[in-house]
PDB file of all heavy atoms in Angstrom:
ATOM      1  N   VAL A   6       4.221 -18.726 -21.934  1.00  0.00           N
ATOM      2  CA  VAL A   6       5.051 -17.653 -21.346  1.00  0.00           C
ATOM      3  C   VAL A   6       6.467 -17.756 -21.874  1.00  0.00           C
ATOM      4  O   VAL A   6       7.062 -16.767 -22.292  1.00  0.00           O
ATOM      5  CB  VAL A   6       5.026 -17.651 -19.808  1.00  0.00           C
ATOM      6  CG1 VAL A   6       6.055 -16.717 -19.246  1.00  0.00           C
ATOM      7  CG2 VAL A   6       3.627 -17.306 -19.305  1.00  0.00           C
ATOM      8  N   ARG A   7       7.049 -18.960 -21.869  1.00  0.00           N
ATOM      9  CA  ARG A   7       8.399 -19.165 -22.378  1.00  0.00           C
ATOM     10  C   ARG A   7       8.497 -18.800 -23.863  1.00  0.00           C
ATOM     11  O   ARG A   7       9.434 -18.142 -24.286  1.00  0.00           O
ATOM     12  CB  ARG A   7       8.853 -20.606 -22.174  1.00  0.00           C
ATOM     13  CG  ARG A   7       9.462 -20.859 -20.802  1.00  0.00           C
ATOM     14  CD  ARG A   7      10.231 -22.173 -20.762  1.00  0.00           C
ATOM     15  NE  ARG A   7       9.452 -23.299 -21.251  1.00  0.00           N
ATOM     16  CZ  ARG A   7       8.583 -24.000 -20.501  1.00  0.00           C
ATOM     17  NH1 ARG A   7       8.384 -23.676 -19.271  1.00  0.00           N
ATOM     18  NH2 ARG A   7       7.940 -25.034 -21.021  1.00  0.00           N
ATOM     19  N   ASP A   8       7.483 -19.205 -24.650  1.00  0.00           N
ATOM     20  CA  ASP A   8       7.503 -18.844 -26.067  1.00  0.00           C
ATOM     21  C   ASP A   8       7.424 -17.345 -26.260  1.00  0.00           C
ATOM     22  O   ASP A   8       8.119 -16.777 -27.105  1.00  0.00           O
ATOM     23  CB  ASP A   8       6.315 -19.519 -26.767  1.00  0.00           C
ATOM     24  CG  ASP A   8       6.451 -21.019 -26.906  1.00  0.00           C
ATOM     25  OD1 ASP A   8       7.584 -21.519 -26.727  1.00  0.00           O
ATOM     26  OD2 ASP A   8       5.429 -21.678 -27.174  1.00  0.00           O
ATOM     27  N   GLU A   9       6.589 -16.695 -25.482  1.00  0.00           N
ATOM     28  CA  GLU A   9       6.449 -15.237 -25.562  1.00  0.00           C
ATOM     29  C   GLU A   9       7.762 -14.541 -25.156  1.00  0.00           C
ATOM     30  O   GLU A   9       8.202 -13.598 -25.768  1.00  0.00           O
ATOM     31  CB  GLU A   9       5.283 -14.731 -24.691  1.00  0.00           C
ATOM     32  CG  GLU A   9       4.972 -13.288 -24.842  1.00  0.00           C
ATOM     33  CD  GLU A   9       4.428 -12.893 -26.192  1.00  0.00           C
ATOM     34  OE1 GLU A   9       4.111 -13.761 -27.028  1.00  0.00           O
ATOM     35  OE2 GLU A   9       4.354 -11.679 -26.439  1.00  0.00           O
ATOM     36  N   GLU A  10       8.387 -15.047 -24.074  1.00  0.00           N
ATOM     37  CA  GLU A  10       9.660 -14.478 -23.624  1.00  0.00           C
ATOM     38  C   GLU A  10      10.733 -14.639 -24.734  1.00  0.00           C
ATOM     39  O   GLU A  10      11.493 -13.705 -24.997  1.00  0.00           O
ATOM     40  CB  GLU A  10      10.146 -15.154 -22.347  1.00  0.00           C
ATOM     41  CG  GLU A  10       9.367 -14.720 -21.119  1.00  0.00           C
ATOM     42  CD  GLU A  10       9.769 -15.548 -19.881  1.00  0.00           C
ATOM     43  OE1 GLU A  10      10.305 -16.671 -20.046  1.00  0.00           O
ATOM     44  OE2 GLU A  10       9.548 -15.015 -18.790  1.00  0.00           O
ATOM     45  N   ASP A  11      10.778 -15.819 -25.378  1.00  0.00           N
ATOM     46  CA  ASP A  11      11.742 -16.026 -26.436  1.00  0.00           C
ATOM     47  C   ASP A  11      11.490 -15.074 -27.604  1.00  0.00           C
ATOM     48  O   ASP A  11      12.437 -14.475 -28.158  1.00  0.00           O
ATOM     49  CB  ASP A  11      11.667 -17.474 -26.957  1.00  0.00           C
ATOM     50  CG  ASP A  11      12.229 -18.467 -25.964  1.00  0.00           C
ATOM     51  OD1 ASP A  11      12.974 -18.036 -25.030  1.00  0.00           O
ATOM     52  OD2 ASP A  11      11.896 -19.672 -26.088  1.00  0.00           O
ATOM     53  N   ARG A  12      10.239 -14.893 -27.989  1.00  0.00           N
ATOM     54  CA  ARG A  12       9.879 -14.001 -29.096  1.00  0.00           C
ATOM     55  C   ARG A  12      10.284 -12.554 -28.741  1.00  0.00           C
ATOM     56  O   ARG A  12      10.889 -11.846 -29.542  1.00  0.00           O
ATOM     57  CB  ARG A  12       8.389 -14.076 -29.362  1.00  0.00           C
ATOM     58  CG  ARG A  12       7.959 -13.283 -30.576  1.00  0.00           C
ATOM     59  CD  ARG A  12       6.455 -13.412 -30.805  1.00  0.00           C
ATOM     60  NE  ARG A  12       5.693 -12.709 -29.784  1.00  0.00           N
ATOM     61  CZ  ARG A  12       5.499 -11.389 -29.743  1.00  0.00           C
ATOM     62  NH1 ARG A  12       6.057 -10.629 -30.650  1.00  0.00           N
ATOM     63  NH2 ARG A  12       4.797 -10.822 -28.803  1.00  0.00           N
ATOM     64  N   LEU A  13       9.974 -12.149 -27.521  1.00  0.00           N
ATOM     65  CA  LEU A  13      10.316 -10.797 -27.081  1.00  0.00           C
ATOM     66  C   LEU A  13      11.836 -10.586 -27.010  1.00  0.00           C
ATOM     67  O   LEU A  13      12.341  -9.554 -27.355  1.00  0.00           O
ATOM     68  CB  LEU A  13       9.670 -10.480 -25.755  1.00  0.00           C
ATOM     69  CG  LEU A  13       8.144 -10.408 -25.796  1.00  0.00           C
ATOM     70  CD1 LEU A  13       7.590 -10.312 -24.369  1.00  0.00           C
ATOM     71  CD2 LEU A  13       7.700  -9.204 -26.604  1.00  0.00           C
ATOM     72  N   PHE A  14      12.545 -11.615 -26.539  1.00  0.00           N
ATOM     73  CA  PHE A  14      14.005 -11.536 -26.457  1.00  0.00           C
ATOM     74  C   PHE A  14      14.601 -11.283 -27.844  1.00  0.00           C
ATOM     75  O   PHE A  14      15.453 -10.428 -28.017  1.00  0.00           O
ATOM     76  CB  PHE A  14      14.575 -12.838 -25.877  1.00  0.00           C
ATOM     77  CG  PHE A  14      16.064 -12.841 -25.738  1.00  0.00           C
ATOM     78  CD1 PHE A  14      16.662 -12.265 -24.632  1.00  0.00           C
ATOM     79  CD2 PHE A  14      16.856 -13.422 -26.688  1.00  0.00           C
ATOM     80  CE1 PHE A  14      18.034 -12.248 -24.499  1.00  0.00           C
ATOM     81  CE2 PHE A  14      18.238 -13.414 -26.570  1.00  0.00           C
ATOM     82  CZ  PHE A  14      18.823 -12.833 -25.465  1.00  0.00           C
ATOM     83  N   GLN A  15      14.093 -12.020 -28.824  1.00  0.00           N
ATOM     84  CA  GLN A  15      14.574 -11.795 -30.202  1.00  0.00           C
ATOM     85  C   GLN A  15      14.247 -10.418 -30.726  1.00  0.00           C
ATOM     86  O   GLN A  15      15.078  -9.769 -31.362  1.00  0.00           O
ATOM     87  CB  GLN A  15      13.945 -12.873 -31.154  1.00  0.00           C
ATOM     88  CG  GLN A  15      14.408 -14.250 -30.869  1.00  0.00           C
ATOM     89  CD  GLN A  15      15.913 -14.438 -30.954  1.00  0.00           C
ATOM     90  OE1 GLN A  15      16.541 -13.879 -31.849  1.00  0.00           O
ATOM     91  NE2 GLN A  15      16.502 -15.145 -30.019  1.00  0.00           N
ATOM     92  N   MET A  16      13.070  -9.911 -30.420  1.00  0.00           N
ATOM     93  CA  MET A  16      12.686  -8.586 -30.866  1.00  0.00           C
ATOM     94  C   MET A  16      13.492  -7.490 -30.173  1.00  0.00           C
ATOM     95  O   MET A  16      13.869  -6.504 -30.785  1.00  0.00           O
ATOM     96  CB  MET A  16      11.192  -8.350 -30.630  1.00  0.00           C
ATOM     97  CG  MET A  16      10.307  -9.203 -31.507  1.00  0.00           C
ATOM     98  SD  MET A  16       8.592  -9.015 -31.130  1.00  0.00           S
ATOM     99  CE  MET A  16       8.277  -7.433 -31.885  1.00  0.00           C
ATOM    100  N   ILE A  17      13.762  -7.670 -28.903  1.00  0.00           N
ATOM    101  CA  ILE A  17      14.535  -6.667 -28.138  1.00  0.00           C
ATOM    102  C   ILE A  17      15.949  -6.543 -28.650  1.00  0.00           C
ATOM    103  O   ILE A  17      16.510  -5.482 -28.718  1.00  0.00           O
ATOM    104  CB  ILE A  17      14.521  -7.018 -26.631  1.00  0.00           C
ATOM    105  CG1 ILE A  17      13.126  -6.761 -26.064  1.00  0.00           C
ATOM    106  CG2 ILE A  17      15.569  -6.221 -25.867  1.00  0.00           C
ATOM    107  CD1 ILE A  17      12.924  -7.304 -24.685  1.00  0.00           C
ATOM    108  N   HIS A  18      16.543  -7.664 -29.068  1.00  0.00           N
ATOM    109  CA  HIS A  18      17.932  -7.627 -29.530  1.00  0.00           C
ATOM    110  C   HIS A  18      18.113  -7.228 -30.961  1.00  0.00           C
ATOM    111  O   HIS A  18      19.203  -7.124 -31.454  1.00  0.00           O
ATOM    112  CB  HIS A  18      18.595  -8.980 -29.224  1.00  0.00           C
ATOM    113  CG  HIS A  18      18.958  -9.102 -27.766  1.00  0.00           C
ATOM    114  ND1 HIS A  18      18.054  -9.512 -26.849  1.00  0.00           N
ATOM    115  CD2 HIS A  18      20.078  -8.782 -27.104  1.00  0.00           C
ATOM    116  CE1 HIS A  18      18.610  -9.494 -25.668  1.00  0.00           C
ATOM    117  NE2 HIS A  18      19.833  -9.037 -25.785  1.00  0.00           N
ATOM    118  N   ARG A  19      16.993  -6.992 -31.656  1.00  0.00           N
ATOM    119  CA  ARG A  19      17.083  -6.415 -32.992  1.00  0.00           C
ATOM    120  C   ARG A  19      17.270  -4.917 -32.869  1.00  0.00           C
ATOM    121  O   ARG A  19      16.674  -4.299 -31.994  1.00  0.00           O
ATOM    122  CB  ARG A  19      15.787  -6.678 -33.750  1.00  0.00           C
ATOM    123  CG  ARG A  19      15.861  -7.899 -34.606  1.00  0.00           C
ATOM    124  CD  ARG A  19      14.715  -7.919 -35.555  1.00  0.00           C
ATOM    125  NE  ARG A  19      13.762  -8.918 -35.071  1.00  0.00           N
ATOM    126  CZ  ARG A  19      12.475  -8.825 -35.169  1.00  0.00           C
ATOM    127  NH1 ARG A  19      11.912  -7.765 -35.684  1.00  0.00           N
ATOM    128  NH2 ARG A  19      11.716  -9.790 -34.728  1.00  0.00           N
ATOM    129  N   PRO A  20      18.068  -4.312 -33.742  1.00  0.00           N
ATOM    130  CA  PRO A  20      18.169  -2.839 -33.706  1.00  0.00           C
ATOM    131  C   PRO A  20      16.797  -2.234 -33.916  1.00  0.00           C
ATOM    132  O   PRO A  20      16.102  -2.592 -34.843  1.00  0.00           O
ATOM    133  CB  PRO A  20      19.119  -2.512 -34.825  1.00  0.00           C
ATOM    134  CG  PRO A  20      19.835  -3.758 -35.154  1.00  0.00           C
ATOM    135  CD  PRO A  20      18.907  -4.888 -34.772  1.00  0.00           C
TER     136      PRO A  20
END
Side-chain angles (χ1 to χ4, degrees):
V6 170
R7 274 195 308 277
D8 290 343
E9 186 67 10
E10 286 174 337
D11 289 341
R12 186 180 70 78
L13 292 171
F14 181 83
Q15 293 302 319
M16 292 176 76
I17 288 169
H18 282 85
R19 266 193 254 144

